[in-house]
Amino acid sequence: MTGVRNEAVRGGEVRSMSVSELPEPRGLPLVGHVPALARGGVIHRVLHEWCDQHGPTFRIRLGTQTVVVTASPEIIGTVLRERPEKYRRGQAMGRLIAELGAAGLFDAEGDDWRALRKIAMKGLNAGYLRESFGVISRSTGRLREQWSAAAAAGEVVPVLDDLMRYTLEMTVGMTMDHDLDAVRRRGEDGPHRHLPQVLTTLGQRLNSPVPYWRWVRLPGDRRADAAVEEFSALIRDRYVRAKELIAGGKRPGTFLESLAEAERDGGDVTEERVVSAVLNMIIAGEDNIAATTAWAMHYLATHPEVQRLVREEAAEVLGEDAHPADPFVVARLKYAEAVVNETIRLRPTAPYLLLEAMTDTVLADSTMELSVARGTHVMPLLGYRSDSDAQKYPNPGEFDPGRWLAEPAEQAEGAPSFLPFGAGPRFCPGRNLALLEATVFVSMACHNFVIEADTSGGPVGEKLTFVVLPTNLSVRLRSVR
Ligand code: HEM
């Protein structure tokens, strides 16, 4: 946070401003800040730098569109809370998702969103997570077997690739009760190989300055279309089964079954909507959880002492079991959970949101009252300074899971918010599932293996597609059980 801002806070001065009076980093005519943001593929890093230089709230131009970027905790809190009435997600994103045939909860608005949100929350509640734990166990067991074989063969493990299949298998299992068997099918062809193309294409389109795909389909676009088609057929097939089960009196146990129940009860549910809503849920969840577990592997590989502590905890809690047997056991894996929280602090995979004001409104914090016209885009930064705020996190750059087990430090007034799962009525409905899956994974990995970094392919980097993914992340494993 800049000295200028702190001065204003101390003086109690509140400025009334319009968007045109906000500071703006140097941009180019016509394209605005698009080239600067595209630099190095890590948009959020550039935004954080601009925050350091210009203060917590500034404006940028994306082509003809002006966007208010903000790390102000008060403004972020208001904007996230006042949904869906006053702010909606940026329509460009919704349009891109719909074009791929995957419209659903993430991009729905108004009553449509309310109805889907209710169904989704039912499908992801704690009781359901307990009942569906078998899916997590099955996939985790398969990953352990595969990694044991890799360890025995002395192979380098392509972490992100393996974890993409692992988390996709779990997400599909939990969402629609289908076993993709993706973990064991590493080199094989199948839907598990095709679906990630949808996310890749979405990420590329999201960051593309020109919507070329509306005129010409490149090979990647055609592969994405084919993958959606293939997956849609699978969802339709599973939906027939889900409806039979619900008609037979079963309580919904998946998102798909919750949709079947809603259709039975006269809700506005068509097969087309079901297909796209399930795809949407998988897209919203899958890459985030794959990236988070992959980043956790990166930190474990580079912090042997943390591995040792997770291993000691796992030995005590899991004993002879290779991985946690039920969610009550997971609840006792406090240090593994702290590893997950610390990973998310240093590597939040969804670093910002793009929203749009639906009415003329005022964004206020202790320094300013900013008049914002209907249609203005607002970009809340969800993780600004989560890796550098020494007041909130002593030695902030250090990977120190132990900090999550200690008493939380007093939060300074105006300190940046850290909201890796968003907040308000649209906060991430998959948060508990994500934390559960990642904790199970971290504990299993250290309980069974010593993890060593392998940088023969170059140093680990990061890139932003739909989420922030690690690049060049490989490890070698040594079995310890
Ligand atoms: C570490 C993993 C994850 C992270 C960091 C993450 C992060 C986020 C964030 C930042 C949002 C936007 C929240 C907002 O607008 O306030 C979101 C929304 C969403 N997430 Fe997640 N997510 C994760 C895992 C999952 C999983 C596993 C699922 C489902 C299986 C999921 C499903 C969704 C959906 C459907 C939405 C849209 C909710 C709405 O608009 O009402 N996420 N997530």
Side-chain angles (χ1 to χ4, degrees), residues 71-205:
S72 158
E74 297 99 314
I75 293 180
I76 293 179
T78 308
V79 168
L80 297 191
R81 223 178 18 253
E82 293 186 338
R83 295 178 295 169
E85 289 78 15
K86 278 200 178 171
Y87 300 90
R88 62 181 178 194
R89 292 204 195 279
Q91 293 296 281
M93 163 77 109
R95 187 168 171 202
L96 288 183
I97 295 178
E99 277 176 345
L100 279 166
L105 182 58
F106 190 82
D107 50 292
E109 296 297 338
D111 287 344
D112 217 21
W113 170 78
R114 280 187 197 87
L116 268 176
R117 177 88 191 182
K118 210 164 134 193
I119 296 171
M121 292 313 280
K122 207 170 180 179
L124 287 169
N125 70 22
Y128 153 71
L129 290 185
R130 267 196 302 279
E131 279 173 35
S132 309
F133 193 79
V135 172
I136 299 177
S137 267
R138 181 177 63 197
S139 302
T140 306
R142 287 175 181 167
L143 185 68
R144 186 188 77 88
E145 275 173 29
Q146 188 169 76
W147 281 7
S148 295
E155 286 172 7
V156 172
V157 173
V159 176
L160 186 60
D161 191 53
D162 278 1
L163 292 179
M164 286 270 188
R165 278 179 291 105
Y166 167 61
T167 53
L168 180 63
E169 180 177 306
M170 288 192 290
T171 308
V172 169
M174 306 285 282
T175 312
M176 55 191 268
D177 188 24
H178 175 73
D179 182 10
L180 267 188
D181 204 359
V183 172
R184 297 188 294 196
R185 301 176 66 198
R186 188 193 261 172
E188 290 174 35
D189 199 28
H192 63 285
R193 285 276 289 254
H194 307 154
L195 196 69
Q197 180 64 43
V198 180
L199 291 155
T200 308
T201 299
L202 183 61
Q204 278 163 354
R205 291 182 183 179

Side-chain angles (χ1 to χ4, degrees), residues 312-374:
E312 279 174 16
E313 176 186 75
E316 193 185 320
V317 176
L318 307 183
E320 286 307 305
D321 291 346
H323 50 87
D326 64 56
F328 299 107
V329 172
V330 186
R332 291 170 55 209
L333 297 169
K334 296 292 179 210
Y335 191 73
E337 189 187 11
V339 167
V340 174
N341 284 323
E342 185 69 341
T343 300
I344 293 174
R345 179 181 75 82
L346 290 175
R347 300 290 183 169
T349 54
Y352 55 80
L353 299 174
L354 186 59
L355 307 176
E356 186 184 324
M358 292 164 73
T359 56
D360 292 350
T361 185
V362 173
L363 297 177
D365 65 10
S366 53
T367 66
M368 68 172 178
E369 285 176 353
L370 179 70
S371 300
V372 161
R374 175 168 175 240

